[in-house]
Amino acid sequence: MRFPGRFTGRSAVITGGASGIGLAVAQRIVEEGGRVCVWDRDPAQIEQAKATIAGLHGVTLDVADPAAVEDAARQTIKALGAVDILVTSAAITGPNMTTWEYSTDDWRQVIDININGVFYCNRALVPHMLERNYGRIVNIASIAGKEGNPNASAYSTSKAAVIGMTKSLGKELAKTRVTVNCVTPAAVRTAIFNQMSQQHIDFMLSKIPMARFGEVEEVAALISWITSEECSFTTAAVFDVSGGRATY
Ligand SMILES: NC(=O)c1ccc[n+]([C@@H]2O[C@H](COP(=O)([O-])OP(=O)(O)OC[C@H]3O[C@@H](n4cnc5c(N)ncnc54)[C@H](O)[C@@H]3O)[C@@H](O)[C@H]2O)c1
């Protein structure tokens, strides 16, 4: 189902929007009348996304580079005129191994992209949204951040941090028309699976009561509602999309 015109006059930035869940959100916002700029580190994927989504803008950057994020924010505001919506989807899993086996470099990379990157992107666009007194931010966390998956401690830690950051920022902005929420998907088959062991993928599926993976369109459907004007009395919240896995 689509809601034609829901995003007419709205512009969105989607980090990690060249693939998977972010790409599905980009597609949906454009189909419902909005303009989208994807921020992604993979230029080939951005080009592929542009070829399939009419009018899509793209910036190649590493979200873990704060100067690049500030530059992209300036560039995107200039190109689109404004940014009303931010969806932070860019993330990596890190290797699947026990906490004590983790190398410092692997740990830092996950933290740098999954936590610091989300911070840099929120920080870069909130002042602009405040100036316009309108904004919808959705940070993509994970059920791993609530439950702590074994053999994925850096990832689980990073996603718990995204939940905490979302709640803090949402409360800071609660008296404005800028809302900040996060979603916590369970496993959805995307390119991110290539970073995980088969054993870990099987473990994630075994934890889902619906006994199937989620679809990117199912996550995009939820995010498109949260990023719409209609979702106006919910902020600093965590939306479940886990096929029944989440118990809180
Ligand atoms: N797919 C799942 O099972 C699942 C489950 C729970 C949460 N999530 C979360 O959903 C989000 C999207 O995941 P996905 O499944 O679509 O993955 P994906 O790998 O398909 O997409 C992630 C995108 O982020 C980009 N990216 C990675 N690091 C980046 C960086 N440093 N700078 C800029 N771009 C970068 C990649 O190039 C890619 O296009 C992530 O935050 C992920 O943690 C996914």
Side-chain angles (χ1 to χ4, degrees), residues 121-206:
C121 294
N122 280 250
R123 183 178 65 176
L125 287 169
V126 163
H128 169 73
M129 291 177 176
L130 273 176
E131 262 172 37
R132 305 180 70 245
N133 195 26
Y134 183 82
R136 294 282 182 268
I137 298 176
V138 174
N139 295 318
I140 304 189
S142 167
I143 186 72
K146 287 180 168 184
E147 296 205 351
N149 282 340
N151 302 307
S153 64
Y155 184 76
S156 302
T157 301
S158 73
K159 294 301 183 177
V162 169
I163 294 172
M165 197 190 311
T166 300
K167 290 184 174 183
S168 296
L169 180 59
K171 289 187 176 85
E172 288 162 7
L173 294 170
K175 288 188 175 144
T176 73
R177 290 177 67 233
V178 181
T179 65
V180 191
N181 294 292
C182 65
V183 296
T184 52
V188 177
R189 188 179 286 286
T190 67
I192 211 168
F193 274 31
N194 302 335
Q195 301 172 37
M196 305 175 201
S197 69
Q198 189 57 45
Q199 198 183 10
H200 191 67
I201 293 168
D202 295 345
F203 164 78
M204 293 191 306
L205 182 58
S206 75

Side-chain angles (χ1 to χ4, degrees), residues 13-29 36 38 40 53 56 87-90 140 190 216 219-220 223:
V13 165
I14 303 175
T15 77
S19 171
I21 295 170
L23 181 63
V25 176
Q27 177 99 48
R28 178 130 192 176
I29 290 178
V36 173
V38 295
D40 204 287
I53 303 178
L56 188 74
V87 178
T88 60
S89 192
I140 304 189
T190 67
V216 290
V219 183
I223 293 176

